[in-house]
């Protein structure tokens, strides 16, 4: 994004939903919902909110039920080097993950910035708190595992302007 492309308050967002019902040995359903949004304030600050929910199962039995919300703030995002802070909430009840919370920070480097191409690299640390229900019972405290860790993360993002109103963003994280 170039500075000229942003107004004082620029909001971009997208929603997606998908539902699939198929008959195999049993009736299988799949529901997905996606939210992607980014807000720019005064050509200086960026707030990103992304989320996804997914649910797959057979009639009377849920197999996968999970999702996440990710909030990231990048002050002075047009600078070549900019700090980032982020929060994330996640669940995956089909595997027993009842709650996963992250809070962290990165340093983001704008490695390449042209009119139609942008490459960003970020690295940082985050604190992770996970609560697992290993018992299989929705209300059980026995069999609950709580995990805390400090971890590092790295990100590579490539952005391509492929049309007047069409953008492609490719992102890899570890």
């Amino acid at each position: 994004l170039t500075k000229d492309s942003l107004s004082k308050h620029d909001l971009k967002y997208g929603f997606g939903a998908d539902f699939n019902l198929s008959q195999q040995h049993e009736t299988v359903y799949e529901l997905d919902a996606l939210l992607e949004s980014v807000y720019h304030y005064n050509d200086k600050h960026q707030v990103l909110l992304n989320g996804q929910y997914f649910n797959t199962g057979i009639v009377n039995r849920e197999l996968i039920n999970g999702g996440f919300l990710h909030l990231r703030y990048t002050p002075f995002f047009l600078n070549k080097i900019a700090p980032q802070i982020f929060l994330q909430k996640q669940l995956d009840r089909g595997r027993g993950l009842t709650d996963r919370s992250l809070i962290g920070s990165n340093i983001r480097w704008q490695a390449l910035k042209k009119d139609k191409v942008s490459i960003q690299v970020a690295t940082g640390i985050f604190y992770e708190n996970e609560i697992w229900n290993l018992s299989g019972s929705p209300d059980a405290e026995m069999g609950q595992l709580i995990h805390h860790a400090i971890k590092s993360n790295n990100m590579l993002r490539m952005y391509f302007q492929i049309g007047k109103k069409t953008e492609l963003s490719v992102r890899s994280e570890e």
Side-chain angles (χ1 to χ4, degrees):
L1 292 171
T2 63
K3 190 172 183 177
D4 298 345
S5 71
L6 302 174
S7 62
K8 264 192 170 193
H9 302 283
D10 183 52
L11 175 65
K12 294 182 181 181
Y13 58 90
F15 300 99
D18 181 42
F19 180 75
N20 184 23
L21 193 61
S22 61
Q23 182 67 40
Q24 296 171 12
H25 291 316
E26 298 189 49
T27 302
V28 178
Y29 68 87
E30 182 178 354
L31 170 69
D32 293 303
L34 180 67
L35 161 71
E36 293 182 340
S37 62
V38 64
Y39 174 71
H40 297 104
Y41 178 72
N42 282 344
D43 289 340
K44 292 181 183 171
H45 309 289
Q46 182 185 67
V47 178
L48 178 117
L49 176 65
N50 289 339
Q52 183 177 17
Y53 173 74
F54 43 90
N55 189 316
T56 302
I58 56 178
V59 176
N60 298 323
R61 184 162 176 231
E62 192 172 67
L63 300 173
I64 300 171
N65 180 359
F68 71 90
L69 274 176
H70 179 88
L71 178 67
R72 184 173 64 234
Y73 172 61
T74 307
F76 309 107
F77 79 100
L78 289 175
N79 291 358
K80 191 163 184 92
I81 296 177
Q84 297 179 318
I85 57 172
F86 62 89
L87 303 167
Q88 183 169 311
K89 290 293 275 184
Q90 182 177 346
L91 63 89
D92 187 347
R93 298 196 181 181
R95 294 186 314 136
L97 179 62
T98 59
D99 181 54
R100 180 177 187 234
S101 301
L102 307 177
I103 184 168
S105 64
N106 291 332
I107 296 294
R108 190 212 62 207
W109 172 47
Q110 185 76 44
L112 175 68
K113 187 174 180 183
K114 301 285 184 187
D115 285 343
K116 298 185 183 239
V117 177
S118 172
I119 298 175
Q120 299 172 349
V121 178
T123 189
I125 62 169
F126 65 93
Y127 170 76
E128 173 185 65
N129 181 51
E130 293 180 336
I131 301 174
W132 291 85
N133 178 356
L134 304 178
S135 70
S137 172
D139 299 320
E141 298 249 344
M142 290 180 62
Q144 189 178 71
L145 173 68
I146 298 175
H147 174 75
H148 307 279
I150 295 177
K151 296 183 175 181
S152 67
N153 65 310
N154 300 292
M155 184 271 304
L156 169 65
R157 178 180 179 259
M158 296 177 287
Y159 165 86
F160 306 94
Q161 182 80 38
I162 57 176
K164 188 171 183 177
K165 294 188 176 189
T166 307
E167 304 166 352
L168 174 64
S169 180
V170 178
R171 184 180 176 101
S172 174
E173 292 187 51
E174 80 172 18

